[in-house]
Amino acid sequence: MMTNYLQKAVLIVDDDTFVLKITKAMLERMGFTQIEKASNAVEALTILKKSQISVQLSLVDLNMPDIDGLELLRLFSEIDYEGDIILFSGEDCKTLQMAETLARARKLSVLGSIAKPITPDKLMSLLSKTDMMDSPNEEITQKSKITKEILEKAITDENIIPWFQPKVIIATYQPIGVEALARWPNSEFGPIFPGEFIPLAEEYGLIDALTDSLIKQTAQIGKLWSHKGINLKIALNLSMDSLYDAYFPERFNTIVTQSGGNIEQFQFEITESRLMGELAQPLEVLLRLRIKKIKLSIDDFGIGFSNLSQLHELPFDELKLDRSYVAAKPSDHRASAILETTIQLAKQLHLTTVAEGVETLEDWNKMKALGCDQVQGYLIAKPMPAEQIPEWLNNWSQQYKQLFN
Ligand code: C2E
Ligand code: CA
Ligand code: CA
């Protein structure tokens, strides 16, 4: 029964501390009570060997430096681990499926695999395959009760708002722009993150309404900033669905103009892994945005499988290097090599490079040494409400000198 299951221990194995943290928080919200975290295979095995902890479910990241997920599965079978396993990864579905097959061949109980990011919905649908989930607990039903109507109302009432995270030029420390990140702070279920409501909005056909609302709010904020003499480029995340809408560029133009904003202040980010496949329609929309002088970024570069030579045929101006590469340890030679060649090639293609998820001075220095142009991340600032940006700008002009002296 679910209630029993929730009392059993769950183990999350991922080298990314951010993923560990958000996955743990998500499991807690789902009602799991005993959650163990391991940032590598050795830690994972130590936990599994502890007799007082009976791990019933392990969530295993396939991509880890040193001992990767596949090798960990072999070690799981060597110690006769009997709990269930869910694999997750930023890799494509085929790799995940092959990993599942391999694990089953090792007589491990694999419930299935999840492409990152892990969401409660994805997890629930795997857990519901077992008999452990036949009496879902209160909170899960609540969560999955974000109906189309609730989400639609939140969008109409502008309860989903943009927060902003600064981007800084490495060479000069100068803030150049901000990325707008959607936030739903006061839902009836508590704060909900975009990793949860963006996929829901796409599923419910509400993503256009949400994007339009964020464009409108952001245009108004941009106008206000301009009046204060703050000229930052504002990057909005664009769902691939919007690129299949031939009218999007016109609609964008209308909303911004009606809100008193300036379209050239905007920039759009589109996730790399979604830029694969049939591209004729998206290409038209991208080109029309480009003709309107809107800058375009490839987001999360490195997670998907496209190579730069394919992407350079598309009208992009900027490449955002995914956090998993930026935060990789110097000993992770594969990540370093990918970063280095990507930045060099991007330069030849006249693409601006932006490192995402820069959390430490070490990350900053590494990206600087590699010739990356801009950085974004907790080291500089976490995403914040629009009202806090002017004050942050003021503080930053002093703060960076202390930070980098
Ligand atoms: P993204 O576009 O890759 O956004 C960057 C994410 O990394 C944000 O998460 C941000 O808060 C987080 N982040 C920034 N710096 C750091 C750092 O130094 N360390 C760590 N660990 N994390 C950092 P967030 O806000 O939860 O957004 C998650 C994803 O949701 C975004 O990933 C984006 O793909 C999507 N998203 C957010 N807002 C929107 C939106 O308005 N429209 C669409 N279509 N997608 C959105
Ligand atoms: Ca982004
Ligand atoms: Ca990103």
Side-chain angles (χ1 to χ4, degrees), residues 354-384:
V354 182
E356 295 188 317
V358 168
E359 291 187 358
T360 62
L361 270 176
E362 214 181 352
D363 296 340
W364 171 292
N365 289 330
K366 178 175 75 180
M367 296 321 298
K368 187 176 180 176
L370 288 170
C372 181
D373 301 306
Q374 300 172 14
V375 294
Q376 180 183 343
Y378 294 170
L379 175 71
I380 298 107
K382 290 196 170 176
M384 64 188 96

Side-chain angles (χ1 to χ4, degrees), residues 179 237 269 299-301 320-323 356:
E179 175 174 6
N237 290 284
E269 299 187 3
D299 206 352
D300 304 333
F301 188 80
K320 297 191 81 174
L321 302 158
D322 190 67
R323 192 174 74 228
E356 295 188 317

Side-chain angles (χ1 to χ4, degrees), residues 275-291:
L275 280 169
M276 311 288 279
E278 182 43 62
L279 276 176
Q281 181 63 52
L283 189 57
E284 184 190 325
V285 172
L286 290 173
L287 279 173
R288 289 170 66 189
L289 288 169
R290 185 70 178 284
I291 288 166

Side-chain angles (χ1 to χ4, degrees), residues 9-73:
V10 183
L11 170 66
I12 321 163
V13 194
D14 195 310
D15 59 307
D16 185 333
T17 48
F18 181 68
V19 174
L20 282 178
K21 226 160 70 191
I22 51 170
T23 311
K24 179 166 187 268
M26 190 187 84
L27 291 168
E28 278 167 355
R29 286 202 304 269
M30 290 175 76
F32 286 91
T33 46
Q34 200 183 342
I35 303 158
E36 303 289 330
K37 295 185 294 182
S39 59
N40 56 51
V42 177
E43 277 176 37
L45 291 173
T46 312
I47 293 168
L48 288 181
K49 283 177 187 159
K50 279 188 190 154
S51 54
Q52 65 272 37
I53 306 174
S54 155
V55 175
Q56 184 78 10
L57 172 68
S58 295
L59 303 174
V60 178
D61 179 22
L62 281 185
N63 315 78
M64 290 184 293
D66 307 324
I67 300 179
D68 67 23
L70 286 180
E71 212 175 328
L72 180 58
L73 290 176

